[in-house]
Each structure stands twice: as structure tokens, then as C-alpha cells.
Amino acid sequence: MPTGISDGIAAHVAGTRFEALPAATVVAAKHVLLDATGVMLGASGLAAEAGPFVRLAAGQGSGSCAILGTGRTTSAALAALANGALAHALDFEDAFDRAPGHPNASLVPALLALAQAEGGIGGRRFLTALTVGGDLACRIGLSLRRSLEAGGWYPPPIIAAFGAAAGAASLLGLDAHGVRDALSLTLCQATMPGEIKHSRDTVIRAVREAFPAQAAVLSALLARDGVTGFEQPLEGKGGFFALYAGGEYDAADLTDRLGRRFWIEELTFKPWPSCRGTHAAIELTLALRAEHGVAPHDMAGITVEVDDLQRMLAEPLARKQAPATAIDAKFSIPYCVAVALTRGAVDLDSFGPGPLRDPAILGLAAKVDARVVENPPWQHGGGGAIEIVLLDGRRLTASVGNALGCPERPLAADVLVAKFVACAGRAAVPPGDPHGLAEAILALEACEDVGALFS
């Protein structure tokens, strides 16, 4: 009988079966896998930052687990490390707007590695693990009443690690005690310092999901082999919430309609390969550009209104106006606005060495600043407003409650397939039939061996 929050969560993860999943949840889980694997394939050919992780994994391990888009294989733990590095490198993966984060960026690499290592993992089992893992990460984010950043941490990969561990434990068929042990072992490994936001030259922010993905695989495998964890890895006096949030959380958000509502249905899928917090500014810039026919040489100044969560995308302003790395540019509202105005699009080619040094883009980015709005009327981290002042004195303004791709304004299934195919085409070793692979993913419940799809 469950006696606490950790026990209740563990029992839920261990006891959830595919037959209990709502139809909309199953569709959402398949979209997650389609989007995540497409982004990882694209990163294999585009993200040099992930190269050291791929080379380490391929050179240090042997096994049947694919490093996506490379034609190379390795052990489960090292495949999770390498694919985790690919998962966020393009900053193109799904997001959860209600408690900003990326619940699946470490989960999908962990599950794919284990599915290939174990062999014979069917689509229904895989989708169930993906659902319970992603849902737990979302629930942890929703339950927080003090940001992890207040303690100097960087939340997304830390929170996602526990969802990835739960999903991995589910995939391996662990019982409730085993799930709790896996969460405990993850608590021994999950970390990401807030300093990741402040260093101009680091690329760790791009490859950060490598660490929680590997931790999830190790935790689940060790738990299966009998390593005993803690009784209360989540709510204990030295557990997750105490360590990372000063004990400030609401348990109701962890357990509300647990097993009946799955937050994986409420994800945002990105139309642009940059931080979700830049998307409102990108969407508004593109709309004003198209409506009014304005060009970069018309600009006197641009002000983007942001909330406190988006503040990090505009500060320090001088650095954000001239980012040094691709991942820093993806976390820059001035740069993204300048790219949108200059090129009329923000795509996979917008963050390469050429654009990062383009005088036209950088000159326009220098004209973009931001104003922080307290208690704004838009979705926290997802909406925003913009004012463009033209040299002829005209002022163009626009606002949006939540940027394109959110649950209220979702990307259509055919758009997600097109995104997958485009990303797959940029892989270092592209799949032979990306359309066929996309179709197989979207029919995953009929698949008898998920790992074989990605061999």
C-alpha cells in the first residue's frame, strides 16, 4: 500500500498499462517520438557541439544501440549520452509551456537506448513508458512553488531527469519498489548549475540533456539489478523538493487526476529552432514584415516586451545582440528578431557560422532591446509583444497570447511530418526512407520491435 508521494508515483508508473491511455494521449506520444527523433537526426549533421559526445560514445562502448543519424552503435548508457546531446542541440524539441521545460529531451534518448538494448520492445509498451515519463516531468514542474533557479540551479534537465528515469523503469517493467529505486538513483546524479546561462562561450547548454538521459538509463538498470534507493526520493527531508526547491511545492499538482489526465497532451511543438521564449517575438516580427513590407534598412529601433522568464533571452543586452555561439543565438531575442527581419525566416540554417557573423543581422540586432512587463496578459514564457519604430516615424505594434505551436494553436500532423523529413534530411547519415519511418512512428502501437525501427 503506498504510504507517501514517492510510493504513489512509483505505483502509478509501474501499474499504468497501454489500455488505460486515452486515444488523444497515444496520438500525443507518437507525435513526441516523431518530433524528438527527427530533431536528433538533424542535429547529427548540424550540431558540431554534440560531436565529442558522439565520438566518445562510439569509441568507448560496444553494443546494439544506435547513435541516431550517424550509422554507429554503442552501449545503452553511452547511446543515451550521445543521443541526449543531440536532443536539445538544435533547440527544436517539444516544450511544456505551463511549467516551462522540455520533458522529453532526455526521456526519448533513454527509452530508445533501452529498447534497442533489450530488443523486442513493442510499440504499446514504448508509448506507455513515454507517456508516464513525460507526464511525471510535467507534474514535477507544475508542483513547484519556488523556482529551482532561486537556488542557483538550471531547471529543465534536472526535472526531465526524473521523468526519464520513470519512463526507463516503466519500459523495463520494474515494480513500484524498482521505480522508486530508479528515482532515488537519479537523485544521486541529476544536476545542472545555473551558471550554464551566464557563460558566453560554453556550449553545455546545447548538449545538456546528455547527462540526464544517461543517468536515467543507469538508474533503471541498477534498480533492476537490485540497488535499493530511498523511501522518499521526492518528498523526503533530503529529497528532490527539499534539495532543489526549499521544500516549497504542492503535492496536489503531482497527483491531481493521476492516471486519468496525462500532460503529454498539452505540449508545444516548435515551428522554429530556438528557445521557446523567443517564438512570440519571431512570430510577431514575421507577421509585421509580411503585412507592412518593411525591410531592415527601414528600422529605427525595435522593442520587444517580455516577462520575467524571457528576461534571460535579452540580458545582458550587448551579449544577446552579438551572440558568440549557436546555442547563445537561439537564446537571444535580439538575434532571432534580426534574423526574422533580415531573412524572412528562422530555420535550421539561421544559426550557423555565416549568420552569426553577418553584419546585416548583427547591425539590426543592435537596434533591438527589451522591456520587462510585470504580470503580462500573455502565457508566461510563451507570449509577448513588439513595437517596431521605422525611420519615417511610423510605429508598428503587435502582440500574441501564446506563440504558434502551443496546444491552443497546434502544428498539424502533416506539418510535424514535414518537419521530421526536413530534419532527417540534414542527418550525417540520413535514413533511407524518412517518409516511411515517419509513417511507422505514427503507427507505433502496431510495431513489434521499436528499437529495430532505428537500427
Side-chain angles (χ1 to χ4, degrees):
M1 179 68 67
T3 59
I5 293 171
S6 295
D7 280 337
I9 293 292
H12 159 69
V13 169
T16 299
R17 297 292 178 264
F18 179 83
E19 293 72 20
L21 302 182
T25 299
V26 174
V27 171
K30 290 186 288 188
H31 286 173
V32 165
L33 183 61
L34 178 75
D35 198 67
T37 52
V39 169
M40 284 187 275
L41 286 166
S44 71
L46 293 171
E49 302 92 334
F53 293 79
V54 171
R55 291 190 290 273
L56 174 69
Q60 295 291 320
S62 60
S64 59
C65 304
I67 304 172
L68 293 192
T70 70
R72 309 175 82 171
T73 61
T74 186
S75 66
L78 287 173
L81 180 83
N83 287 328
L86 296 172
H88 180 67
L90 299 181
D91 207 338
F92 210 6
E93 78 277 26
D94 65 62
F96 184 53
D97 292 343
R98 290 177 179 266
H102 300 279
N104 301 303
S106 51
L107 172 61
V108 172
L111 295 184
L112 285 177
L114 288 173
Q116 292 190 317
E118 296 292 302
I121 300 294
R124 294 186 170 204
R125 184 170 166 186
F126 191 96
L127 291 168
T128 303
L130 182 55
T131 296
V132 296
D135 181 64
L136 178 58
C138 293
R139 287 174 179 274
I140 290 174
L142 288 169
S143 72
L144 295 170
R145 294 298 179 267
R146 191 187 85 175
S147 170
L148 272 62
E149 291 172 307
W153 303 108
Y154 188 66
I158 298 175
I159 294 171
F162 292 89
S170 170
L171 191 79
L172 294 181
L174 302 190
D175 63 14
H177 282 106
V179 174
R180 195 182 67 185
D181 293 339
L183 294 175
S184 300
L185 290 163
T186 300
L187 184 62
C188 297
Q189 302 174 78
T191 184
M192 191 59 60
E195 195 62 24
I196 196 173
K197 298 186 300 183
H198 306 307
S199 176
R200 182 174 184 267
D201 298 315
T202 186
V203 297
I204 294 175
R205 194 169 192 163
V207 296
R208 66 196 193 198
E209 303 298 331
F211 306 110
Q214 183 184 49
V217 168
L218 293 174
S219 296
L221 291 174
L222 289 169
R224 183 172 69 174
D225 204 31
V227 178
T228 301
F230 317 123
E231 288 80 5
Q232 297 181 322
L234 297 176
E235 77 275 25
K237 63 181 180 181
F240 169 82
F241 290 110
L243 293 175
Y244 289 111
E248 297 181 30
Y249 71 102
D250 189 339
D253 285 325
L254 279 171
T255 59
D256 178 44
R257 289 172 285 177
L258 186 65
R260 300 191 304 277
R261 178 175 191 170
F262 295 95
W263 285 106
I264 196 170
E265 294 183 35
E266 298 292 323
L267 298 177
T268 289
F269 292 95
K270 293 183 174 183
W272 301 291
S274 60
C275 176
R276 173 65 178 156
T278 68
H279 283 201
I282 292 171
E283 180 177 351
L284 296 172
T285 299
L286 292 173
L288 290 176
R289 184 183 190 272
E291 179 181 357
H292 298 280
V294 293
H297 60 262
D298 298 322
M299 302 296 133
I302 303 165
T303 299
V304 180
E305 291 189 342
V306 300
D307 56 42
D308 61 330
L309 184 63
Q310 296 162 319
R311 182 196 298 265
M312 67 175 180
L313 305 173
E315 296 178 356
L317 185 59
R319 170 182 155 190
K320 295 300 182 181
Q321 290 172 332
T325 64
I327 194 62
D328 208 23
K330 290 169 180 282
F331 279 77
S332 166
I333 284 176
Y335 180 86
C336 289
V337 166
V339 167
L341 273 170
T342 303
R343 296 186 157 204
V346 178
D347 55 28
L348 290 170
D349 295 315
S350 297
F351 301 92
L356 285 174
R357 295 191 296 266
D358 187 331
I361 294 174
L362 296 178
L364 189 54
K367 297 182 179 182
V368 181
D369 64 10
R371 179 168 60 246
V372 178
V373 177
E374 301 295 334
N375 301 313
W378 59 75
Q379 168 69 43
H380 189 59
I386 192 170
E387 180 183 61
I388 295 176
V389 180
L390 303 179
L391 291 173
D392 63 11
R394 285 182 294 158
R395 294 176 178 268
L396 310 179
T397 62
S399 64
V400 65
N402 203 3
L404 183 65
C406 65
E408 299 78 22
R409 304 171 62 213
L411 300 185
D414 61 337
V415 175
L416 291 175
V417 170
K419 175 182 172 180
F420 174 88
V421 171
C423 286
R426 308 300 290 274
V429 181
D433 181 11
H435 286 94
L437 180 54
E439 290 176 2
I441 293 171
L442 293 178
L444 200 73
E445 62 267 53
C447 179
E448 296 183 356
D449 188 350
V450 175
L453 288 180
F454 299 94
S455 295

